[in-house]
Every structure is written in C-alpha cells, then in structure tokens.
Amino acid sequence: MEPLFGVVLGLILAVASPAHDTCTCVTNKWAVCAQDGPGNCTCRLAGSDHPVDCSTLTSKCFLMKAEMIPLKEKRLWRPPHGVSDSDGIYNPDCEDSGDFKARQCNQSSTCWCVNTAGVRRTEKGGRSLSCSELVRTRWIYIELTHKRSSRAFGVPDVAKALTQLFESRYKLHPKYIAAIKYDPPLIQIRLDQNKKPRWDVDIADVAYYFEKDVYNDSVFPSNSKLTVSVNGDALAIEKLWIYYVDEKPPEFCMRQLAAGISAVVTVVVLTAGIGIAALLLLRWLRTRTYKKFECKEMREIKAPSLE
C-alpha cells in the first residue's frame, strides 16, 4: 500500500504544482491570485476587489492605490525595497475602468484636478472645487542618462533596443513611440498617443512601469528585472526625468507668480528708497558742513583787529 500511496501522492503533486505555478500575475507582483477552478486563475489587486488583467499592464491609478495600502496588508506582495520616494504618491480615487477620477481629494478635504496620468494640473482647493473633465495626457517626454561605457553606442542601435524594450516588456505598439534621440549619455524619448483604443496600453501606464523599473521598485515579479542591452552591451540607466503634456494647458492660477513679482517689486522699491534716502542724507551733511565753514570764515573777516 505504501508504494501505491507514494505514486498517487506524486501524481497529485505533479498535477497541482503546474496549476499553482501558472496561477500568478506576470505583469503585477502585487496581484493576489487564486485557483478557483480547473484551469481558471483569478487575480485581484492586493487589498482591493478590482480584478487584474495579467495579459497587459495594470492602470497607474490602481498601482498607486496599491502602494498606499499599509504594508501589513500587502504581506508577500510588498515591494522588496518599499517606496523610497513618496513625492507625488497619494491614495487616488479610481473609476471602475482604472482611470483616474478628474477630481482627487486627500484626508484634509483638499482637492485638485488631475490628468489621465494622475498628475495635478490645477491649484489645490476645497471640496467645492469642480473638475469638469479628465484631460488626456497626449505626450510624454522621457529623458534619461546612462553610465559611461568604454564602447560607444550607435544612435540606430539605441533606438532599436529601446523600441524593442517598450514593445516586448510594456506591450506598447511602436506607433506610439514618436521619436528617440541619442546624444551620449543623454537619451530622449517622446511617446505620442492622441487617442487610446481599448486594446492598447496607455502611455501613462507605460511611463509609470518604466519609472518603477529604473528605480529598482518594479511592478513585475522579482525575477523580471529590467535589463537593456545594445548589441550585447548593457545600457545602465543612471538618471530619469518624465514630463507630461496634456491636450489642454494646465490651469494653474497666477497667484504664485504674482506673489513672486510683488516680492521682487517690493525689494526693488525698498532698495531704491534706501538709496535715495542715503543720497539725500549725504547731500544734507555736505550742505551743513559747507555752511558751517562759510560762517566761520565770515566771522574771522568781521572780527576787529586788536592792533
């Protein structure tokens, strides 16, 4: 009986192991997956009821929301290095589709309007702030520098390597890569997506995934580390900057600019006033000294001679 039991147990493990291994999310390490039937694997975002489509990128809004979940709730799906820089990270309000809601608010009833990349595009206000629409981010400019290499990279080779990276790793169609310019060690990438069909990934999601990869906080599983090679040589990315350009200009008011101009004008007026006062004081002192000297000479002339 024992040999037969061992064979049966081995078959069960052999069948169960592949099913367990395949029940993972290859595009989001924070997704919690469960086998809820033969060949049926369901993945949901950690701490959320939103289902995750692991065949494509997860929306930036859902990713930011997952990052704001307390670490004890993330458990094994916590980023290995945590969030090293929380600037710009907040707990967003997301539509069921994964899009950002046009108006975002924090715990202190402060609200602001965002674009489709979740980037603030208005001054902050109260709960009465109205955001009529979610303005689309049409262009994204990515600038990065790489470490110096003993071997120079060719411009076409760099463009080809990065195009393949965005297409294979981030599922971005090459038609959305408008331009790649290379002036060692600076690389400039422009993503252009005027309208996004339902079946295509959003360039805002691509930029967010790429940013997390560069800063070693990848959303992909830990065994999927970012590697970029140009003709077999590693392209080690050193610094990264991302700029978002919307279909409509941002609606920041002129209060900050006006305050700055007022400060400059005040300084100039005060400086000019102090200068004029100093000149008047010097002139008054010189006039007073001259009059004293003149009066002294007159007294000496009018004084009677003792002889």
Side-chain angles (χ1 to χ4, degrees), residues 272-292:
I274 293 172
I276 293 172
L279 289 174
L280 292 175
L281 179 61
L282 289 174
R283 184 177 179 181
W284 179 77
L285 290 174
R286 287 179 181 177
T287 303
R288 184 181 179 189
T289 303
Y290 175 76
K291 287 183 177 180
K292 284 184 177 180

Side-chain angles (χ1 to χ4, degrees), residues 130-149:
S130 176
C131 304
S132 59
E133 62 176 329
L134 182 66
V135 179
R136 176 157 186 78
T137 296
R138 178 177 177 180
W139 296 300
I140 292 182
Y141 290 86
I142 301 174
E143 293 185 356
L144 56 93
T145 58
H146 65 81
K147 295 181 180 179
R148 298 285 182 175
S149 175

